[in-house]
Amino acid sequence: MTLPDDITVKDVDVLIIGGGTAGPMAAVAAKEKDPTASVMLLEKANVKRSGAISMGMDGLNNAVVPGHSTPEDYVKEITIANDGVLLQKGVMTYAENSFKMIEKLDAWGVYFQKDETGEYDMKKVHHLGTYVLPMPEGHNIKKILYRRLRRHRVTVENRYQAIRLLKDQDGNACGCISLNTRTAEIVVIRAKSVVMCTGAAGRIGLPASGYLYGTYENPSNCGDGHSMAYQAGAELTGLECYQINPLLKDYNGPACAYVTGPLGGYTANSKGDRFIECDYWSGQMMMEFYNELQGGNGPVFLKLDHLAEEIIEEVEHVLHTNERPSRGRFHDGRGTDYRTKMVEMHISEIGFCAGHSASGVWTNEKGETTIPGLYGAGDMASIPHSYMLGAFVFGEICGTNAAEFAEGRDFAELDVEYITAERDRILAPLKRTDGIPPSQFEYKVRRLVNDYLQPPKVTKKMDIGLERLIAMEDDIQHLYARDAHELLRANEAQHIYDCAQMAAVASMYRQESRWGLYHHYVDHPETNNDDWFCHVQLYKNEAGEMVCKKRPIDPYVVELDDNEKNAYAQMRVQQTG
Amino acid sequence: MPIASQISMVPVVVDDEKCIAEKGCRTCIDVCPLDVLWINEETGKAHMKYDECWYCMPCETDCPTDAVSVNIPYLLR
């Protein structure tokens, strides 16, 4: 059996899916490991401006720099911030490679702030240690990555959405089915190993503004990788540990306490008072934020109006030229001046993102998923609190290991029947003459997520939410797309739909509360370490059902003292007198 | 299932006088993470075809003739 003529096949040794942060680093690392290997970087947008850092990044949030902290300190901090549930070996691997990666990026031309003696100008934002390194000129980072891709002759394919992973007869990852989002052509990419770097699932919940694309995450990061990994039989983990962030209300971009905190800015309640000890994003911190919003002292604000003029100018320079540069005009539109007015903040919609919390496709300290030959890095993989630097570190690790896995392997035989059926499924919305627009389907899924799945989590609500979501299964056969672009959205909507169900199933499985607001389960309000000090793995079983199981936590590589364990549980500012 | 089209005010504005798409420029179209900028068949210039904007600004920053302006989407203003 051969593939129909309308399906193109391309062969590469190593396939990288996603060209944002981790992906370009993985591609370069694969080439460095094996310069003779063919490496393809597949990107849904354009690698020049894609992913979470399309407009740059204003700092490293987790730099482990000698003289300021040790890998052991960092592993401890993240263990405490994550209520003990993590693969410490993975975080340790990150921490041990963190400084090497900073030096590599520095050598590539990324500018990190240095003090008068030429040392890295580290800032304290975390509860315990010092890990923040400003990048006031970090807007050019994508250009620097792009130059490296060219130099290493990585094959870049822009405007392709990966939709399904392929596995060979032995269960190894062997490529993907993708869609050209401009022409609706189906392209099969056959590979000897695959690295997924598809970013967060940032379009599960609906922003309070109601604008589908007004998300915290770059909305192209919609959970393609989470859905693909799930459908291929990989395990995902910690999905009940949602990402929820404190953001500028409506604008939905970060308030950037990491930038403003070291300069004297802070999160305040409506009285202008500080109410949290530490602005580093954690579930415990978000719980206090939520309590303040609900408890009559809200709204919550970013307070800068007490700062000196030159400090405000510095804040404006960094925040209005970097990462989310349109926030300056958002403030202008409302007449908000940091000098005179506190900036209203709010709580974000939910998402899956290991970059900030701990949810994603399970990966170990080698970047391996539970499918042989399939690796994962960045916001979609499960190493917690990774941020941009973690994406680079694990991108490099995954690229290296994927190149090694590919060595000496042959291309797998293609499953023609499966690929042809997938082609028909993927293209079906284009063949219809009317039906449900992807935007309406997506809005409904995300509205259900907000109504029933965001914390405080309640079993009865989540039951209803899941039931309503499952009822939408029938709607998929009516999705209607008028052009290739709408077809892209129809496929994204189905990935979002998968992620929404995962959020419900994982949340109901873990019958305790943990990680502050992230998994605040009203029916089970206490943390229960006897039964739930474990990972929750979500996967598709042989009957095709979405199920969960417990995975024990691997022995720690850094032990915690008893008095350290609760450091993040005491976030609220203690009243005196 | 019959359908209807609704109008939407879009955040990205392209100045047709300054846009040089007819000379083959595709910069803003290429860099948009959400692929919502396309050539307007009638004018031959770039325009925002789909109201799916992250107000992230590569289109404006990278435009060689300063023809593109990004506004905050109306629902967020």
Side-chain angles (χ1 to χ4, degrees):
Chain A
M1 241 174 116
T2 52
L3 280 174
D5 289 343
D6 62 334
I7 302 176
T8 307
V9 179
K10 293 183 184 179
D11 289 344
V12 292
D13 294 322
V14 180
L15 169 64
I16 320 278
I17 304 174
T21 311
M25 189 60 75
V28 168
K31 273 291 197 183
E32 281 174 345
K33 173 76 185 167
D34 181 2
T36 64
S38 56
V39 176
M40 181 189 284
L41 181 57
L42 195 75
E43 166 57 49
K44 194 162 67 169
N46 185 309
V47 293
K48 284 183 184 167
R49 289 291 195 183
S50 58
I53 59 166
S54 64
M55 284 302 276
M57 187 48 68
D58 53 28
L60 298 177
N61 295 332
N62 51 350
V64 184
V65 173
H68 296 276
S69 61
T70 64
E72 287 74 20
D73 294 334
Y74 181 76
V75 170
K76 268 191 188 180
E77 179 108 27
I78 299 306
T79 302
I80 300 163
N82 225 44
D83 275 354
V85 176
L86 78 172
L87 179 70
Q88 265 200 353
K89 272 185 291 183
V91 177
M92 181 56 95
T93 301
Y94 161 73
E96 288 171 344
N97 288 282
S98 171
F99 188 62
K100 256 188 289 178
M101 181 54 71
I102 295 171
E103 290 184 309
K104 181 173 189 164
L105 294 167
D106 200 331
W108 285 6
V110 177
Y111 174 75
F112 301 104
Q113 192 163 299
K114 299 196 174 126
D115 62 19
E116 55 278 8
T117 63
E119 300 292 319
Y120 291 123
D121 190 10
M122 300 297 297
K123 307 288 183 192
K124 183 173 186 301
V125 172
H126 290 62
H127 201 38
L128 305 175
T130 299
Y131 303 104
V132 170
L133 176 54
M135 297 167 59
E137 306 303 325
H139 50 79
N140 60 356
I141 190 148
K142 287 292 283 184
K143 283 205 174 88
I144 291 167
L145 291 174
Y146 188 65
R147 224 179 288 144
R148 290 284 146 177
L149 291 173
R150 297 293 295 267
R151 186 175 294 184
H152 286 278
R153 301 201 186 146
V154 171
T155 306
V156 173
E157 294 287 356
N158 292 314
R159 305 293 173 193
Y160 282 89
Q161 180 190 25
I163 294 179
R164 284 286 189 266
L165 291 168
L166 295 173
K167 289 200 293 187
D168 67 17
Q169 285 177 334
D170 303 320
N172 301 301
C174 66
C176 79
I177 304 176
S178 73
L179 173 75
N180 181 316
T181 66
R182 295 257 174 94
T183 64
E185 183 193 4
I186 298 288
V187 177
V188 170
I189 296 150
R190 209 153 58 139
K192 297 171 183 171
S193 61
V194 179
V195 183
M196 291 209 299
C197 308
T198 52
R203 237 160 84 198
I204 311 177
L206 190 63
S209 68
Y211 189 60
L212 281 177
Y213 296 82
T215 45
Y216 166 70
E217 297 287 347
N218 181 330
S220 57
N221 294 345
C222 65
D224 290 340
H226 297 75
S227 169
M228 261 190 295
Y230 169 75
Q231 296 292 352
E235 289 177 21
L236 292 93
T237 194
L239 301 174
E240 69 283 14
C241 179
Y242 296 163
Q243 170 185 236
I244 303 169
N245 297 329
L247 303 177
L248 296 184
K249 186 160 190 308
D250 299 336
Y251 181 76
N252 237 18
C256 285
Y258 301 179
V259 171
T260 58
L263 298 169
Y266 57 88
T267 309
N269 61 22
S270 61
K271 296 169 185 147
D273 294 334
R274 208 189 272 267
F275 63 94
I276 35 179
E277 292 275 0
C278 164
D279 282 330
Y280 180 69
W281 291 359
S282 64
Q284 299 84 345
M285 178 271 202
M286 279 313 301
M287 189 62 155
E288 295 304 338
F289 194 109
Y290 173 81
N291 287 339
E292 205 73 357
L293 279 177
Q294 300 294 323
N297 283 329
V300 170
F301 297 88
L302 172 67
K303 183 169 161 53
L304 301 170
D305 57 7
H306 56 292
L307 299 177
E309 175 62 26
E310 60 268 28
I311 301 287
I312 302 252
E313 282 171 22
E314 187 179 343
V315 168
E316 284 176 338
H317 171 71
V318 176
L319 296 185
H320 300 180
T321 62
N322 220 328
E323 191 179 351
R324 299 303 310 276
S326 61
R327 69 184 270 171
R329 56 190 70 172
F330 171 75
H331 293 322
D332 289 345
R334 293 187 175 190
T336 307
D337 185 333
Y338 299 145
R339 291 160 188 80
T340 54
K341 215 170 165 179
M342 297 197 296
V343 188
E344 188 183 357
M345 292 174 67
H346 200 63
I347 211 160
S348 75
E349 64 281 358
I350 70 159
F352 301 148
C353 175
H356 300 100
S357 62
S359 42
V361 177
W362 173 266
T363 53
N364 64 14
E365 68 279 9
K366 295 174 187 156
E368 298 165 335
T369 68
T370 55
I371 295 177
L374 180 66
Y375 301 80
D379 282 349
M380 63 130 255
S382 65
I383 306 296
H385 294 240
S386 306
Y387 290 92
M388 179 177 74
L389 197 56
F392 284 139
V393 166
F394 271 98
E396 185 177 60
I397 290 168
C398 289
T400 307
N401 291 342
E404 204 173 283
F405 188 91
E407 243 169 79
R409 294 184 70 85
D410 288 324
F411 289 110
E413 207 172 306
L414 291 172
D415 182 344
V416 174
E417 202 177 329
Y418 174 72
I419 293 169
T420 311
E422 275 301 311
R423 173 201 62 184
D424 294 343
R425 184 189 69 82
I426 293 165
L427 297 179
L430 268 186
K431 313 279 183 207
R432 299 182 186 116
T433 52
D434 60 21
I436 303 170
S439 56
Q440 276 187 328
F441 179 86
E442 180 180 334
Y443 183 92
K444 189 161 168 176
V445 171
R446 293 171 62 184
R447 199 269 298 166
L448 290 172
V449 167
N450 279 28
D451 279 357
Y452 296 107
L453 304 183
Q454 68 183 2
K457 301 179 187 179
V458 175
T459 304
K460 191 67 196 164
K461 280 173 72 177
M462 292 192 286
D463 269 337
I464 297 170
L466 189 57
E467 191 185 313
R468 297 285 314 278
L469 285 168
I470 289 169
M472 287 182 71
E473 183 92 47
D474 288 341
D475 298 346
I476 291 173
Q477 59 183 317
H478 298 296
L479 283 173
Y480 167 52
R482 292 171 297 182
D483 56 27
H485 181 82
E486 289 184 356
L487 185 63
L488 155 72
R489 295 289 181 245
N491 283 298
E492 288 181 340
Q494 291 174 70
H495 296 162
I496 293 165
Y497 174 73
D498 284 348
C499 289
Q501 289 194 44
M502 291 186 219
V505 170
S507 291
M508 283 195 279
Y509 186 78
R510 183 181 282 279
Q511 298 191 350
E512 64 155 358
S513 288
R514 192 175 288 268
W515 307 296
L517 184 63
Y518 297 165
H519 186 61
H520 170 38
Y521 198 161
V522 176
D523 305 49
H524 308 281
E526 303 297 325
T527 298
N528 173 356
N529 279 326
D530 291 341
D531 297 325
W532 292 104
F533 187 72
C534 61
H535 302 283
V536 167
Q537 309 292 101
L538 179 144
Y539 63 103
K540 187 163 146 175
N541 70 13
E542 292 196 349
E545 298 155 334
M546 189 181 284
V547 291
C548 294
K549 65 179 181 190
K550 292 182 180 181
R551 181 196 159 102
I553 291 171
D554 283 14
Y556 280 178
V557 291
V558 180
E559 282 302 329
L560 266 57
D561 299 335
D562 278 343
N563 60 356
E564 290 172 325
K565 287 179 184 162
N566 289 323
Y568 271 69
Q570 294 141 14
M571 277 291 150
R572 180 157 283 274
V573 169
Q574 299 300 311
Q575 299 294 330
T576 49
Chain B
M1 272 180 273
I3 53 164
S5 291
Q6 286 174 312
I7 58 167
S8 191
M9 184 176 72
V10 296
V12 173
V13 181
V14 178
D15 184 339
D16 283 357
E17 299 284 310
K18 291 184 183 166
C19 175
I20 52 167
E22 74 281 2
K23 292 183 179 154
C25 181
R26 295 290 180 273
T27 302
C28 63
I29 292 171
D30 282 346
V31 297
C32 175
L34 292 156
D35 209 14
V36 294
L37 301 175
W38 290 64
I39 296 293
N40 184 335
E41 305 277 329
E42 283 170 24
T43 62
K45 305 287 185 177
H47 79 134
M48 188 172 217
K49 187 175 176 187
Y50 304 92
D51 181 15
E52 301 164 343
C53 182
W54 194 44
Y55 39 103
C56 57
M57 306 234 295
C59 53
E60 178 179 315
T61 306
D62 296 350
C63 173
T65 61
D66 288 332
V68 183
S69 321
V70 176
N71 297 305
I72 302 296
Y74 175 70
L75 291 179
L76 278 59
R77 276 182 213 167

